[in-house]
Coordinates of all heavy atoms in Angstrom, one line a residue:
A887 N 92.8 95.0 84.9 CA 93.8 95.6 83.9 C 95.1 95.8 84.6 O 96.1 95.6 83.9 CB 93.2 96.8 83.3
Y888 N 95.1 96.2 85.9 CA 96.4 96.4 86.5 C 97.1 95.2 86.8 O 98.4 95.1 86.8 CB 96.2 97.3 87.7 CG 96.0 98.8 87.4 CD1 94.7 99.2 87.1 CD2 97.0 99.6 87.4 CE1 94.4 100.5 86.9 CE2 96.8 101.0 87.1 CZ 95.5 101.4 86.8 OH 95.3 102.7 86.4
L889 N 96.3 94.1 87.2 CA 97.0 92.8 87.4 C 97.6 92.3 86.1 O 98.7 91.7 86.1 CB 95.9 91.8 87.8 CG 96.4 90.4 88.1 CD1 97.5 90.3 89.1 CD2 95.2 89.5 88.4
A890 N 96.9 92.5 85.0 CA 97.4 92.0 83.6 C 98.7 92.9 83.3 O 99.7 92.3 82.7 CB 96.4 92.3 82.6
I891 N 98.8 94.2 83.7 CA 100.0 94.9 83.4 C 101.1 94.4 84.2 O 102.3 94.4 83.8 CB 99.7 96.4 83.7 CG1 98.7 96.9 82.6 CG2 101.0 97.2 83.6 CD1 98.3 98.4 82.8
A892 N 100.9 94.1 85.5 CA 101.9 93.5 86.4 C 102.4 92.2 85.8 O 103.6 92.0 85.8 CB 101.3 93.4 87.8
D893 N 101.6 91.4 85.2 CA 102.0 90.2 84.5 C 102.9 90.6 83.3 O 103.9 90.0 83.1 CB 100.8 89.4 84.1 CG 100.0 88.8 85.2 OD1 100.6 88.6 86.3 OD2 98.9 88.4 85.1
E894 N 102.3 91.5 82.6 CA 103.1 92.0 81.3 C 104.5 92.4 81.6 O 105.5 92.1 80.9 CB 102.3 93.0 80.7 CG 102.9 93.6 79.4 CD 102.2 94.9 78.9 OE1 100.9 95.0 79.3 OE2 102.7 95.8 78.3
L895 N 104.6 93.2 82.7 CA 105.9 93.8 83.1 C 106.8 92.8 84.0 O 107.8 93.2 84.3 CB 105.7 95.1 83.8 CG 105.0 96.1 82.9 CD1 104.7 97.4 83.8 CD2 105.8 96.5 81.7
D896 N 106.2 91.7 84.3 CA 106.9 90.8 85.2 C 107.3 91.5 86.6 O 108.4 91.2 87.0 CB 108.1 90.2 84.5 CG 108.6 88.9 85.3 OD1 107.8 88.3 86.1 OD2 109.8 88.6 85.2
A897 N 106.3 92.2 87.0 CA 106.6 93.0 88.3 C 106.4 92.0 89.5 O 105.3 91.6 89.7 CB 105.7 94.2 88.3
R898 N 107.4 92.0 90.4 CA 107.3 91.2 91.5 C 107.0 92.0 92.7 O 106.4 91.5 93.7 CB 108.6 90.3 91.7 CG 109.0 89.5 90.5 CD 107.9 88.7 89.8 NE 107.2 87.9 90.7 CZ 106.0 87.3 90.5 NH1 105.5 87.5 89.4 NH2 105.5 86.5 91.4
V899 N 107.6 93.2 92.8 CA 107.4 94.0 94.0 C 106.6 95.3 93.5 O 107.1 96.1 92.6 CB 108.8 94.6 94.6 CG1 108.6 95.5 95.7 CG2 109.5 93.3 95.0
V900 N 105.5 95.5 94.1 CA 104.5 96.5 93.6 C 104.2 97.5 94.7 O 103.9 97.1 95.8 CB 103.2 95.9 93.1 CG1 102.3 97.0 92.5 CG2 103.5 94.9 92.0
L901 N 104.3 98.8 94.4 CA 103.9 99.8 95.3 C 102.5 100.4 94.9 O 102.4 100.8 93.7 CB 104.9 101.0 95.3 CG 104.5 102.4 95.8 CD1 104.2 102.3 97.3 CD2 105.6 103.4 95.5
D902 N 101.5 100.2 95.7 CA 100.2 100.8 95.4 C 100.0 102.1 96.1 O 99.7 102.1 97.3 CB 99.1 99.7 95.9 CG 97.7 100.1 95.5 OD1 97.6 101.1 94.8 OD2 96.8 99.5 96.0
L903 N 100.2 103.2 95.5 CA 100.2 104.5 96.0 C 98.8 105.0 96.1 O 98.1 105.0 95.0 CB 101.0 105.5 95.3 CG 101.2 106.9 95.8 CD1 101.9 106.8 97.2 CD2 101.9 107.7 94.9
G904 N 98.3 105.4 97.3 CA 96.9 105.8 97.4 C 96.0 104.6 97.4 O 95.0 104.4 96.8
C905 N 96.5 103.5 98.2 CA 95.8 102.2 98.2 C 94.4 102.2 98.6 O 93.6 101.2 98.4 CB 96.7 101.2 98.9 SG 96.8 101.5 100.7
G906 N 94.0 103.2 99.4 CA 92.6 103.2 100.0 C 92.3 102.1 100.8 O 93.1 101.7 101.7
T907 N 91.2 101.4 100.5 CA 90.8 100.2 101.3 C 91.4 98.9 100.9 O 91.0 97.9 101.2 CB 89.3 100.1 101.2 OG1 88.8 100.0 99.9 CG2 88.6 101.3 101.9
G908 N 92.4 99.1 100.0 CA 93.3 97.9 99.7 C 92.9 97.0 98.7 O 93.6 95.9 98.6
N909 N 91.9 97.3 97.8 CA 91.5 96.2 96.8 C 92.6 95.8 95.8 O 92.7 94.6 95.6 CB 90.2 96.8 96.0 CG 89.0 97.0 97.0 OD1 88.7 96.1 97.8 ND2 88.4 98.1 97.0
L910 N 93.3 96.8 95.3 CA 94.3 96.4 94.2 C 95.4 95.6 94.9 O 95.9 94.6 94.5 CB 94.8 97.5 93.5 CG 96.0 97.3 92.6 CD1 95.5 96.2 91.5 CD2 96.4 98.5 91.9
A911 N 95.9 96.1 96.1 CA 96.9 95.5 96.8 C 96.7 94.1 97.2 O 97.5 93.2 97.0 CB 97.2 96.3 98.2
L912 N 95.4 93.8 97.6 CA 95.0 92.5 97.9 C 94.9 91.6 96.7 O 95.4 90.3 96.8 CB 93.7 92.4 98.7 CG 93.6 93.1 100.1 CD1 92.3 93.5 100.5 CD2 94.2 92.1 101.1
L913 N 94.4 92.1 95.6 CA 94.5 91.3 94.3 C 95.9 91.0 94.0 O 96.1 89.8 93.6 CB 93.8 92.2 93.3 CG 93.7 91.6 91.9 CD1 92.9 90.3 91.8 CD2 93.1 92.6 90.9
L914 N 96.8 91.9 94.0 CA 98.1 91.6 93.6 C 98.8 90.5 94.6 O 99.5 89.7 94.1 CB 98.9 92.9 93.6 CG 98.6 93.8 92.5 CD1 99.2 95.2 92.8 CD2 99.1 93.4 91.1
A915 N 98.5 90.7 95.8 CA 99.1 89.8 96.8 C 98.6 88.4 96.5 O 99.3 87.4 96.7 CB 98.9 90.3 98.2
R916 N 97.3 88.3 96.3 CA 96.8 86.9 96.1 C 97.4 86.2 94.9 O 97.4 85.0 94.7 CB 95.2 87.0 95.8 CG 94.5 87.4 97.1 CD 93.0 87.0 96.9 NE 92.3 87.8 95.8 CZ 91.8 89.0 96.1 NH1 91.8 89.5 97.3 NH2 91.2 89.6 95.2
H917 N 98.0 87.0 93.9 CA 98.7 86.4 92.7 C 100.2 86.5 92.9 O 100.9 86.5 91.8 CB 98.2 87.2 91.5 CG 96.8 86.9 91.0 ND1 95.7 87.5 91.7 CD2 96.3 86.1 90.1 CE1 94.6 87.0 91.1 NE2 95.0 86.2 90.1
G918 N 100.6 86.4 94.1 CA 102.0 86.2 94.3 C 103.0 87.4 94.4 O 104.2 87.2 94.5
R919 N 102.4 88.6 94.3 CA 103.2 89.8 94.4 C 103.7 90.1 95.8 O 102.9 89.9 96.7 CB 102.7 90.9 93.7 CG 103.0 91.1 92.2 CD 102.4 90.0 91.5 NE 102.7 90.2 90.0 CZ 102.0 89.5 89.1 NH1 101.1 88.7 89.5 NH2 102.3 89.7 87.9
T920 N 104.8 90.7 95.9 CA 105.1 91.5 97.2 C 104.5 92.9 97.0 O 104.9 93.6 96.1 CB 106.7 91.4 97.4 OG1 107.2 90.1 97.6 CG2 107.0 92.3 98.7
V921 N 103.8 93.3 98.0 CA 103.0 94.5 97.8 C 103.1 95.4 98.9 O 103.2 95.0 100.1 CB 101.5 94.2 97.6 CG1 100.7 95.5 97.3 CG2 101.2 93.2 96.5
V922 N 103.3 96.7 98.7 CA 103.4 97.8 99.7 C 102.3 98.7 99.3 O 102.2 99.3 98.3 CB 104.7 98.5 99.7 CG1 104.6 99.6 100.8 CG2 105.9 97.6 99.9

């Protein structure tokens, strides 16, 4: 759902706050985002 929202908002640079073990950050990066 968060990947879909990133698509919806055309977000290219994403900050994942409280990223934990990195699951969302890795998903976003695999789909071409610049992720912190």
Side-chain angles (χ1 to χ4, degrees):
Y888 283 87
L889 177 61
I891 290 173
D893 288 339
E894 173 189 336
L895 300 176
D896 194 26
R898 309 313 306 168
V899 179
V900 183
L901 163 65
D902 182 13
L903 184 64
C905 65
T907 57
N909 293 313
L910 176 59
L912 290 159
L913 176 65
L914 291 165
R916 286 197 298 269
H917 285 80
R919 269 68 180 194
T920 297
V921 185
V922 180

